[in-house]
Amino acid sequence: MVILETECQISAAMMLPAVLVFLLATSALGIPDWWKTSVLYQIYPRSYSDSDGDGNGDIRGIINHLPYIKSLGVGVVWLSPIYSSPWQDMGYDISNFKDVHPKYGTLDDVKELIDKSHQQGMKVFMDFVPNHSSDQHPWFNASRYSVGDAKDYYVWVNPKGYLGGKPIPPNNWLSNFGGSAWEYDEVRKQYYLHEFGPYQPDLNYRNPKLVEQMKDVLRFWFNLGIDGFRCDTVPHLVEDSSFKDEPFLPGCTDPNNRGCLDHIYTENQPETYDVLKQFDEMIQKEYNSTRYLVLEVYASLDKVIKYYQQQSSPFNFFLITDFKRDSTAVELAKVVHDYLQSIPSGMWPNWVVGNHDQSRVGTRMGEDLIDSMNMLILLLPGTAVTFQGEEIGMTDAYIRKDQVLDSVGRDPQRSPVQWDSTKNGGFSTGDKTWLPLNSNYWRVNVKAETAKPKSHLSVYKKTLELRRNLKNPTDFKVNTYGKWVAYFKRDSETESYFYVINLNDREEMIPTSVIGASPTVYIASENAGYSEGNKISEYLVLPPRSSVVLLAPNKMLNKLLRSA
């Protein structure tokens, strides 16, 4: 259970910090310990490393870089889809849930990746795409012709009527990719639902046989050695069976704008939670709670929290959706507070600031906050998630119109990883890469940052090393000093550490009486103007949009906090 206490002391001279106190559950049901202590490192395989020179990243390329991944200190490697696919949605349109796309490699390659990761003490997650398949999946072809069990594996509905001899869609539901969510099939003479592209027909989770088929997909990969899954777009799994029109939001009447509709019939249905509960129970029963699922859920906080179960949890995207480039420290504290306060008793938090669907942190928040955001998620209590390349401060690549591959504009953040300053940034020896690299690869790359004593990579590694030595807190305090400075404390067995961030576009001076008498700089962002070991006496002076981690003996800081 999370208990919130709020204190706000104001004097005539200055505003003293508002203190948000969270009491976190120390025992977390059946959640594996490795999930609670790990950092999840997301790999977009097509953009990670190309081992054969064809311009596409592959599984062998990931295997070749396992020593680098291990050197970061992460505990879980998560692979975006590697399944057999026509690649109309970059692998999220799957034609075989139990095989690998030939450009990525083979099942034997996956098994080798799993085994070698395990040998180095790292777990392996894969993407699970339960909402839909490709229209080239054998199930869909059988369903079109009403053959066998697959007849009802997809959501089929009769036309609402006909106009001029042409069928009318069943209702006003719209696809996430634009246009109607319904596609008429001339073979079956019905519409099928597609919450995304028309080449991605939605699976029918009201059919128990389909549910069992998808459980078998999980079993297949679990039995191969996979430790868990990131589950894609789970709010869309089940739709309301009445197929009513979705109502318009107040003041918005554009029938072609999905954002104008209130998705009360297509998202977060009660039956969706029931399906996930079946997955959860299968993991508990058949795998002795040793596997874990993390769920992609973009929704309001009250709906997100409902997705917590014993063997699964929703991603926490609120540092993306509710924390922006111009947000204040008070707003940052509120995002952290609201999330931690809402987590069900016995559940575990997680923190995400980027992924393959979002602009990179350095582009979205500004390059001056790259270190600060990495430090933030690594030091908050809970599981942290890092998207490949964020550890070196990669930013979105520029994609010309003639180079665009993704219809909804996600190419820039998916550009290949920048390994060094050689041809193609060391990503591929081929003449052309599937997406162009960011033109800054000559200076922003793993090799260059490894050689520098102060770099995004060195800050990331040192912060993650510190994270491994921190105790899980029984209480957690987020403090704000004025409008723009936020800080919090984490303890090891013998020492205490303060993370302090200045979100202002101007320098901020923070009295050490607020943070701790004469602390020492332990880690500093590249733009903080401090070096490791610097002593802070009367004031901590933080440049715009920078951060530090300060070190002080436990007793001194605990005494100061009690007196605040």
Side-chain angles (χ1 to χ4, degrees):
M1 183 176 182
V2 177
I3 301 174
L4 170 68
E5 300 174 3
T6 304
E7 298 179 12
C8 185
Q9 300 175 328
I10 302 177
S11 69
M14 68 173 69
M15 186 195 318
L16 291 177
V19 183
L20 305 177
V21 183
F22 310 97
L23 301 183
L24 302 180
T26 54
S27 61
L29 297 180
I31 300 172
D33 285 341
W34 54 260
W35 172 253
K36 293 186 290 182
T37 58
S38 290
V39 171
L40 183 65
Y41 184 72
Q42 181 190 358
I43 289 178
Y44 195 75
R46 199 175 180 185
S47 292
Y48 202 67
S49 180
D50 170 20
S51 70
D52 58 12
D54 70 351
N56 295 280
D58 46 47
I59 298 167
R60 180 61 50 188
I62 299 170
I63 293 172
N64 292 342
H65 285 287
L66 281 178
Y68 167 75
I69 299 170
K70 175 66 175 177
S71 76
L72 296 176
V74 302
V76 180
V77 177
W78 152 32
L79 308 181
S80 291
I82 56 173
Y83 306 98
S84 296
S85 167
W87 268 359
Q88 290 181 277
D89 185 24
M90 305 302 171
Y92 284 91
D93 51 320
I94 297 169
S95 55
N96 188 340
F97 287 100
K98 297 180 181 179
D99 203 0
V100 178
H101 195 292
K103 282 190 178 293
Y104 287 134
T106 66
L107 283 172
D108 286 339
D109 291 330
V110 176
K111 181 61 173 154
E112 183 180 347
L113 173 63
I114 295 169
D115 290 343
K116 288 187 174 179
S117 297
H118 287 172
Q119 289 167 16
Q120 298 198 44
M122 296 185 292
K123 305 293 184 179
V124 180
F125 275 36
M126 285 176 56
D127 254 21
F128 177 48
V129 186
N131 180 69
H132 50 261
S133 75
S134 165
D135 62 357
Q136 296 182 38
H137 195 293
W139 291 348
F140 186 69
N141 190 53
S143 192
R144 294 178 72 210
Y145 287 93
S146 299
V147 175
D149 290 341
K151 174 184 177 181
D152 296 317
Y153 278 7
Y154 296 86
V155 181
W156 294 98
V157 181
N158 290 325
K160 189 175 184 178
Y162 294 85
L163 182 63
K166 293 184 178 181
I168 301 171
N171 55 39
N172 71 342
W173 295 358
L174 296 175
S175 162
N176 284 267
F177 287 174
S180 173
W182 298 99
E183 186 79 3
Y184 188 71
D185 183 73
E186 290 289 351
V187 173
R188 184 152 167 161
K189 304 299 182 184
Q190 286 183 304
Y191 279 94
Y192 66 84
L193 178 68
H194 60 91
E195 294 265 19
F196 296 88
Y199 45 83
Q200 294 167 300
D202 271 46
L203 294 165
N204 177 20
Y205 278 89
R206 294 185 182 278
N207 182 342
K209 291 183 179 179
L210 183 278
V211 176
E212 286 305 313
Q213 287 279 12
M214 299 310 283
K215 285 183 186 177
D216 280 343
V217 172
L218 294 174
R219 292 184 183 104
F220 176 85
W221 293 103
F222 284 153
N223 293 341
L224 195 71
I226 288 293
D227 300 287
F229 284 93
R230 173 265 194 188
C231 301
D232 184 60
T233 62
V234 295
H236 302 282
L237 288 187
V238 185
E239 299 75 30
D240 187 87
S241 59
S242 68
F243 299 108
K244 297 177 183 177
D245 281 357
E246 292 194 315
F248 286 97
L249 294 169
C252 195
T253 58
D254 183 354
N256 298 312
N257 183 353
R258 190 173 185 277
C260 280
L261 299 179
D262 189 0
H263 305 298
I264 59 174
Y265 298 130
T266 58
E267 296 182 9
N268 307 302
Q269 300 299 299
E271 295 87 349
T272 293
Y273 299 104
D274 293 339
V275 170
L276 294 169
K277 184 177 181 180
Q278 291 186 55
F279 293 160
D280 196 84
E281 290 173 346
M282 184 265 285
I283 293 173
Q284 293 179 51
K285 180 180 179 181
E286 299 180 24
Y287 295 93
N288 196 28
S289 300
T290 58
R291 305 295 195 269
Y292 201 73
L293 307 180
V294 60
L295 316 174
E296 183 195 31
V297 181
Y298 286 95
S300 59
L301 182 57
D302 61 318
K303 291 184 175 68
V304 168
I305 294 305
K306 290 181 181 178
Y307 283 96
Y308 269 99
Q309 297 194 54
Q310 183 165 331
Q311 301 304 139
S312 60
S313 63
F315 269 134
N316 165 22
F317 292 126
F318 295 106
L319 284 174
I320 295 176
T321 60
D322 292 12
F323 183 58
K324 307 296 184 181
R325 188 166 184 158
D326 57 356
S327 293
T328 66
V330 175
E331 291 167 328
L332 171 59
K334 185 178 187 305
V335 170
V336 175
H337 154 247
D338 289 351
Y339 172 66
L340 287 179
Q341 185 187 30
S342 301
I343 293 175
S345 177
M347 294 296 141
W348 196 250
N350 66 80
W351 308 94
V352 184
V353 292
N355 57 45
H356 63 296
D357 288 331
Q358 305 293 332
S359 283
R360 288 187 172 276
V361 169
T363 299
R364 191 177 75 249
M365 300 296 290
E367 292 187 51
D368 47 6
L369 275 184
I370 289 172
D371 288 340
S372 296
M373 296 303 293
N374 281 335
M375 293 159 70
L376 174 68
I377 63 166
L378 292 177
L379 294 177
L380 284 168
T383 302
V385 182
T386 293
F387 180 45
Q388 64 180 41
E390 298 286 16
E391 73 274 14
I392 62 170
M394 283 180 60
T395 50
D396 290 359
Y398 176 71
I399 309 294
R400 298 194 311 260
K401 289 183 179 179
D402 62 309
Q403 297 170 321
V404 170
L405 296 178
D406 182 49
S407 61
V408 291
R410 297 166 296 185
D411 290 334
Q413 58 265 35
R414 299 176 178 184
S415 62
V417 169
Q418 299 157 202
W419 293 102
D420 57 41
S421 60
T422 63
K423 177 183 177 181
N424 296 325
F427 164 74
S428 173
T429 59
D431 292 330
K432 185 179 179 180
T433 57
W434 80 281
L435 276 177
L437 276 81
N438 192 314
S439 59
N440 68 5
Y441 74 82
W442 63 273
R443 64 176 178 86
V444 179
N445 61 71
V446 171
K447 184 175 180 180
E449 296 205 13
T450 300
K452 289 172 59 179
K454 188 69 174 290
S455 65
H456 296 310
L457 182 58
S458 65
V459 170
Y460 184 90
K461 285 185 174 182
K462 189 169 179 62
T463 307
L464 206 157
E465 181 182 9
L466 170 61
R467 170 194 170 88
R468 290 197 296 268
N469 295 322
L470 297 177
K471 299 185 298 182
N472 289 328
T474 54
D475 65 347
F476 178 68
K477 304 177 182 180
V478 175
N479 310 266
T480 58
Y481 178 75
K483 182 178 181 180
W484 295 106
V485 175
Y487 63 99
F488 57 79
K489 181 175 74 77
R490 293 294 306 274
D491 292 326
S492 69
E493 291 294 336
T494 59
E495 296 165 319
S496 289
Y497 300 84
F498 265 105
Y499 169 78
V500 190
I501 181 172
N502 173 20
L503 292 170
N504 203 349
D505 58 4
R506 295 187 296 179
E507 179 180 278
E508 289 279 349
M509 297 179 63
I510 306 100
T512 53
S513 59
V514 170
I515 300 169
S518 300
T520 301
V521 174
Y522 189 74
I523 308 172
S525 63
E526 276 195 298
N527 58 341
Y530 288 102
S531 299
E532 181 181 339
N534 287 163
K535 294 285 187 181
I536 309 297
S537 54
E538 190 175 355
Y539 288 95
L540 170 67
V541 181
L542 276 182
R545 301 169 69 77
S546 66
S547 60
V548 294
V549 175
L550 302 175
L551 166 65
N554 247 329
K555 291 182 179 179
M556 177 179 67
L557 287 178
N558 290 338
K559 180 179 179 181
L560 284 166
L561 284 171
R562 284 195 299 271
S563 64

